[in-house]
Amino acid sequence: MSQNHQETALPRCPGCEEPLEQGDLFCGACGYDLSAVPEPPRDRPTVAIATPGAAASSEVRYDGPGASGDFELAAPGAAPDPRAVPEPPPAPAAAPAPAAGGQVCVACRAGRVDGDGYCENCGHAQPRERDHMEQELGAVAAVSDRGLRHHRNEDSFAVSTTALPDGSPAVVAIVCDGVSSASRPDEASAAAASAANASLLASLPRGTHPQQAMHEAIVAAAESVNVLAQEPGGPERDPHRHQNAPACTLVGAVMAAGLLVVGWVGDSRVYWVPEDRSTAPARLTEDDSWAAQMVATGLMNEAEAYADERAHAITGWLGADAYELEPHTASFKPDRPGLVVVCTDGLWNYAESAAEMAAAVPEDAYARPLHGAQVLVGHALDGGGHDNVTVALLPFAVSPQGAGSA
């Protein structure tokens, strides 16, 4: 049917197929009652379906508002009719109903996710909440990332602010690194970070000295990890709790009353980077590790010790199978503004010395701590991301008249 034919064609009687005049109520040839012919539905196209064996019709009618008659669809190879109303696309297929009683797989949208985070239908590993975490509280910011090689993030952190009895602010950052060779290291780090943070938020407002508060916080964190070694659901401890019990390291910093207090067990670290970079940066913690022990006893120099394959074997940690707990704490009173970098070895493995860490810290990190933490995590990922990476940044503000180290 050509376009010109469509424009001149008259409607035909359903009874005898004779042409009809516009406005006829009855067919002049056979008397067919045209008022009995139902009108097609409004506001949607009606498509003629060919009978089996018949040539397919290319005609679509649209009886919506403003319609003036039949419209012809272009034949293959012909120019499309600009007046033609296209057939609406089919409705998108409905997504499968959620799997009953569990999380739906993000890949196939059909399988149920098991307790280990894998789809039971397609086996796809689901993204975990802890794969990448960020938090900023103005005076402190932290970022944690799973890294490029580990299947989960076994680091954890807690950052918070509170007030001392005189109303002055106190800022807290706790970073924990789960021991991968232990059982449930992700749970250990999360429990330790939460317990240490809660302890500090309880003791600092009571007037406890920040260094004493840090010591108590590490003890509380150790107790929370020890609890994980208990037999699930029972009051009795697991008889094998000293064999590969949940374990983690901990490092923390508190800024309060002009003091910078750090505390740690394990090989996570704190660095000091002066804001104006006019003086040398410094590492404020000493690792509980085989390499550090070799250097401290004079059996090896630092280069030899850290080149050894046993260098990162830790000699101190939190857990039921740990040796006697020996929390380390130190207090400083910086005489100039600076940035406190609290991190796991997933970062400092790529910026080990204080000078290397200071070089990795962006110039604007003091004013933009969250951005600075993001850049540092990116530095570790660019370096290979072999481990989980966690860092907290605390901008330390102080007047130039501050005293020296305490």
Side-chain angles (χ1 to χ4, degrees):
M1 183 189 298
S2 71
Q3 185 176 352
N4 289 335
H5 188 146
Q6 181 191 5
E7 290 177 346
T8 58
L10 294 175
R12 296 180 179 274
C13 172
C16 64
E17 294 294 321
E18 289 294 322
L20 298 172
E21 295 294 331
Q22 186 73 27
D24 283 349
L25 298 179
F26 297 91
C27 175
C30 68
Y32 191 94
D33 184 0
L34 299 176
S35 64
V37 178
E39 292 187 355
R42 299 286 179 176
D43 298 324
R44 63 184 179 89
T46 59
V47 182
I49 302 176
T51 57
S57 170
S58 63
E59 192 171 88
V60 174
R61 294 193 305 273
Y62 189 82
D63 293 325
S68 58
D70 291 347
F71 290 82
E72 179 184 353
L73 295 180
D81 185 345
R83 301 171 303 164
V85 178
E87 181 180 352
Q103 178 186 347
V104 179
C105 173
V106 299
C108 69
R109 303 300 302 167
R112 188 179 70 86
V113 178
D114 64 21
D116 293 328
Y118 292 87
C119 175
E120 294 180 345
N121 179 50
C122 68
H124 187 87
Q126 307 300 297
R128 297 174 173 89
E129 180 182 0
R130 287 175 62 173
D131 282 356
H132 185 88
M133 302 178 291
E134 298 185 0
Q135 187 176 0
E136 184 176 33
L137 294 177
V140 59
V143 176
S144 182
D145 192 271
R146 185 185 69 186
L148 304 179
R149 303 297 182 89
H150 281 243
H151 74 286
R152 64 181 175 187
N153 189 358
E154 296 168 357
D155 288 357
S156 191
F157 70 81
V159 295
S160 58
T161 60
T162 187
L164 302 181
D166 63 2
S168 61
V171 182
V172 173
I174 302 293
V175 168
C176 296
D177 183 356
V179 177
S180 294
S181 59
S183 63
R184 298 152 63 195
D186 53 331
E187 295 180 40
S189 64
S194 177
N197 184 63
S199 177
L200 287 163
L201 291 182
S203 59
L204 290 171
R206 292 199 303 260
T208 305
H209 189 278
Q211 191 165 355
Q212 177 63 29
M214 177 62 76
H215 180 95
E216 294 173 359
I218 296 175
V219 172
E223 292 174 351
S224 72
V225 178
N226 291 347
V227 168
L228 296 178
Q230 295 177 355
E231 186 177 0
E236 299 298 325
R237 285 184 174 272
D238 181 352
H240 304 293
R241 66 185 182 279
H242 293 302
Q243 300 176 13
N244 203 33
C248 69
T249 69
L250 180 148
V251 66
V254 173
M255 300 188 311
L259 289 176
L260 169 59
V261 172
V262 299
W264 73 98
V265 173
D267 63 349
S268 294
R269 295 179 175 181
V270 178
Y271 292 84
W272 167 258
V273 179
E275 192 271 333
D276 60 5
R277 313 295 175 103
S278 61
T279 58
R283 175 154 62 97
L284 306 182
T285 58
E286 293 292 338
D287 299 344
D288 288 323
S289 69
W290 181 91
Q293 196 173 65
M294 293 298 102
V295 174
T297 57
L299 296 176
M300 289 184 178
N301 62 39
E302 190 165 327
E304 293 171 336
Y306 281 97
D308 193 284
E309 63 181 9
R310 296 166 289 181
H312 291 281
I314 57 175
T315 58
W317 62 90
L318 307 182
D321 60 352
Y323 303 114
E324 183 178 354
L325 179 63
E326 296 183 6
H328 310 290
T329 63
S331 178
F332 305 87
K333 197 166 187 179
D335 62 356
R336 66 198 65 216
L339 194 68
V340 182
V341 181
V342 185
C343 65
T344 61
D345 62 344
L347 172 59
W348 68 253
N349 277 333
Y350 299 98
E352 187 169 334
S353 69
E356 290 171 328
M357 183 62 71
V361 173
E363 294 289 337
D364 62 351
Y366 184 86
R368 303 172 62 198
L370 178 58
H371 173 257
Q374 293 166 339
V375 169
L376 288 173
V377 168
H379 175 78
L381 298 181
D382 290 344
H386 286 74
D387 200 355
N388 307 145
V389 190
T390 302
V391 58
L393 297 185
L394 300 84
F396 190 98
V398 65
S399 63
Q401 290 79 25
S405 174

